[in-house]
C-alpha cells in the first residue's frame, strides 16, 4: 500500500514530567507534569489512532491485528515496537527491565524491554544513570540494603545528539533536564530499584527490589554501540543501532534524498525542521508509518528524522 499512516500520539502524566511536549512540539498536553508522548504505540496502555486515509480512526493495534500484510506479515501477538518522547523535568526512578524470558514467566506473558535513547536536548550539566559497580549478586544486594546508591550507580554526563542502547538487566535512569526519543520493545514492564524516597499522593511509589536483583546483570556489561554513517550530497544517514529487536537510524536532510524501503514497515518521527515525504507535507512533531512494500520514498527539506524498523531475522 502506497499510503503514509500518520498517528495521533498518546500523552502520559508523570510525577517527574514537564511541559516541553507542548512548548517543543505543540502537542495538546493534559497538565504541566506531562512526561511521555507515546508517539507510535499499539500497547494496551496507550493505543495510537490513525489520523488519515483508508484506516482513519482505527487504532494501531486493530490495524496490526486485521491487516498484518501492511506490516510485512511479521510474527507475534502484538505490534512489536513503541516509540516515545520523554520530557524529564525531574529525575526518573533508578530502574531496570527484564528480558523476554523473565517477563513471559513473571509478567503474564509480556514482552521484555530492550530500549535505546537519543538525546534530543538537555541542560548544560545534564546527566543520566547507566550501569552499576557491583561485581556479584551478593554485593549488589548488600549495597542496596545499605542504601549505598552513590557507590552503586554509574552517573555520566550527556549532550544533545548522544545515543545509548539499554539492554535488559542494565541499571539506568533518565535524569532532570533531559528530552529523549526512546525506541523500545512494546512493553511497559519496569522494576524500580530506587525512587529518591519521593512521595506520590502522600505515599512512596512501589519498588521492586527482588525482581530488580533477579534481572540485573552482574557484573555490568558494556552496551555501547558504534554508529555507521553514510554521506549523501544533501543528506546524512546514521545507523545508530541494530539489535535483535530493532534497527534505528537518524536521517538528516538539507535538500533531497531518495531511500528504498527494505523493511517490513518503517516508523518515522520528524524531530526537527519540515519538508515533504513524497510531496506530502511533514513537520517537527509528526510521527508516521510507511507500511510494507511502500517502496522507494523521497524526502525534501531540512529535517532531522529518527526511523525504526524490526530487524529482519
Amino acid at each position: 500500500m502506497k499510503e503514509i499512516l500518520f498517528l495521533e500520539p498518546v500523552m502520559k502524566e508523570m510525577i517527574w514530567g514537564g511541559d516541553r511536549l507542548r512548548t517543543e512540539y505543540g502537542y495538546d498536553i493534559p497538565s504541566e507534569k506531562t512526561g511521555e508522548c507515546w508517539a507510535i504505540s499499539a500497547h494496551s496502555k496507550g493505543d495510537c489512532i490513525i489520523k488519515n486515509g483508508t484506516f482513519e480512526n482505527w487504532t494501531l493495534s486493530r490495524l496490526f491485528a486485521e491487516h498484518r500484510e501492511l506490516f510485512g506479515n511479521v510474527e507475534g501477538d502484538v505490534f512489536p515496537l513503541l516509540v516515545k518522547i520523554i520530557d524529564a523535568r525531574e529525575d526518573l526512578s533508578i530502574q531496570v527491565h527484564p528480558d523476554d524470558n523473565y517477563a513471559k514467566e513473571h509478567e503474564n506473558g509480556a514482552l521484555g524491554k530492550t530500549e535505546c535513547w537519543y538525546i534530543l536536548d538537555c541542560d548544560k550539566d545534564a546527566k543520566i544513570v547507566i550501569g552499576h559497580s557491583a561485581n556479584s549478586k551478593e554485593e549488589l544486594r548488600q549495597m542496596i540494603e545499605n542504601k549505598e546508591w552513590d557507590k552503586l550507580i554509574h552517573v555520566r554526563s550527556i549532550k544533545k545528539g548522544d545515543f545509548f542502547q539499554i539492554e535488559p538487566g542494565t541499571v539506568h535512569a533518565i535524569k532532570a533536564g533531559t528530552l529523549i526519543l526512546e525506541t523500545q520493545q512494546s512493553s511497559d514492564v519496569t522494576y524500580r530499584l530506587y525512587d529518591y524516597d519521593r512521595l506520590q499522593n502522600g505515599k512512596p511509589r512501589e519498588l521492586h527490589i527482588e525482581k530488580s536483583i533477579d534481572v540485573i546483570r552482574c557484573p555490568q556489561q558494556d552496551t555501547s554501540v558504534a554508529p555507521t554513517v553514510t554521506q549523501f550530497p544533501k543528506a546524512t544517514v546514521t545507523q545508530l543501532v541494530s539489535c535483535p529487536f530493532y534497527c534505528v537510524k537518524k536521517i538528516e536532510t538539507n535538500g533531497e534524498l531518495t531511500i528504498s524501503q527494505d523493511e517490513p514497515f518503517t516508523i518515522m518521527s520528524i524531530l526537527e525542521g519540515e519538508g515533504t515525504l513524497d510531496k506530502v507535507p511533514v513537520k517537527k512533531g509528526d510521527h508516521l508509518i510507511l507500511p510494507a512494500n511502500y517502496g522507494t520514498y523521497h524526502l525534501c527539506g531540512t529535517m532531522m528524522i529518527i526511523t525504526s524498523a524490526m530487524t529482519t531475522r
Side-chain angles (χ1 to χ4, degrees):
M1 183 179 76
K2 191 82 172 181
E3 187 173 306
I4 303 168
L5 304 172
F6 286 87
L7 284 93
E8 184 68 41
V10 176
M11 301 296 153
K12 298 280 187 175
E13 293 180 277
M14 299 291 181
I15 190 174
W16 40 261
D19 63 2
R20 292 190 70 181
L21 292 170
R22 180 180 63 227
T23 60
E24 288 285 336
Y25 299 100
Y27 299 140
D28 183 14
I29 61 174
S31 77
E32 304 303 297
K33 281 191 171 291
T34 303
E36 296 184 350
C37 158
W38 289 27
I40 303 285
S41 170
H43 196 279
S44 60
K45 293 184 179 179
D47 201 353
C48 293
I49 303 292
I50 311 297
K51 291 168 46 172
N52 67 300
T54 304
F55 301 102
E56 186 175 1
N57 293 325
W58 283 43
T59 62
L60 182 55
S61 65
R62 178 188 172 192
L63 189 64
F64 186 73
E66 297 186 20
H67 288 280
R68 192 64 63 91
E69 75 279 3
L70 298 180
F71 306 93
N73 291 311
V74 298
E75 297 179 358
D77 296 331
V78 297
F79 186 78
L81 300 179
L82 199 166
V83 176
K84 301 176 181 177
I85 301 177
I86 297 174
D87 170 22
R89 176 176 284 174
E90 300 174 18
D91 292 349
L92 275 67
S93 61
I94 295 171
Q95 55 192 239
V96 65
H97 304 303
D99 61 16
D100 282 349
N101 291 333
Y102 191 92
K104 183 177 181 179
E105 180 178 352
H106 296 275
E107 303 296 339
N108 299 315
L111 293 176
K113 193 173 177 186
T114 304
E115 65 187 34
C116 60
W117 301 339
Y118 181 86
I119 310 299
L120 294 167
D121 198 14
C122 60
D123 292 347
K124 185 177 179 180
D125 58 350
K127 294 176 172 59
I128 58 172
V129 171
I130 296 183
H132 66 87
S133 59
N135 290 310
S136 66
K137 293 282 188 178
E138 292 74 18
E139 186 178 11
L140 174 68
R141 181 180 293 277
Q142 184 179 42
M143 294 172 82
I144 292 170
E145 289 176 351
N146 293 336
K147 300 186 181 299
E148 297 176 294
W149 302 113
D150 290 344
K151 182 178 175 182
L152 176 65
I153 301 304
H154 289 175
V155 180
R156 57 195 295 177
S157 298
I158 56 171
K159 64 183 185 305
K160 181 177 179 178
D162 283 348
F163 180 81
F164 304 93
Q165 172 78 347
I166 311 294
E167 297 284 349
T170 302
V171 175
H172 64 278
I174 300 169
K175 292 178 72 64
T178 310
L179 192 66
I180 281 177
L181 183 90
E182 178 175 288
T183 304
Q184 58 162 91
Q185 291 179 268
S186 185
S187 173
D188 197 38
V189 180
T190 294
Y191 300 148
R192 290 193 199 103
L193 187 60
Y194 180 57
D195 196 39
Y196 312 100
D197 301 316
R198 282 185 293 202
L199 301 181
Q200 185 173 30
N201 300 322
K203 299 179 180 179
R205 293 202 294 172
E206 182 182 6
L207 300 179
H208 314 90
I209 300 299
E210 291 305 320
K211 286 182 175 179
S212 294
I213 292 172
D214 276 353
V215 303
I216 290 171
R217 298 182 184 186
C218 292
Q220 177 63 49
Q221 298 178 15
D222 180 22
T223 61
S224 60
V225 291
T228 303
V229 180
T230 305
Q231 199 71 48
F232 297 91
K234 295 288 185 178
T236 302
V237 178
T238 304
Q239 180 175 290
L240 298 169
V241 67
S242 180
C243 73
F245 303 102
Y246 47 70
C247 179
V248 178
K249 298 178 182 178
K250 176 172 66 171
I251 301 173
E252 297 168 287
T253 64
N254 188 23
E256 300 186 24
L257 177 66
T258 299
I259 297 177
S260 179
Q261 183 200 41
D262 57 359
E263 304 147 346
F265 59 92
T266 307
I267 292 171
M268 303 182 75
S269 295
I270 318 301
L271 298 165
E272 292 180 11
E274 60 184 358
T276 59
L277 168 55
D278 287 343
K279 299 183 179 180
V280 176
V282 292
K283 67 183 187 307
K284 179 178 179 178
D286 285 345
H287 304 274
L288 57 96
I289 298 174
L290 301 182
N293 302 313
Y294 185 90
T296 299
Y297 58 95
H298 185 75
L299 298 168
C300 183
T302 301
M303 296 179 282
M304 191 278 279
I305 303 168
I306 300 287
T307 72
S308 56
M310 289 185 67
T311 306
T312 304
R313 289 186 276 176

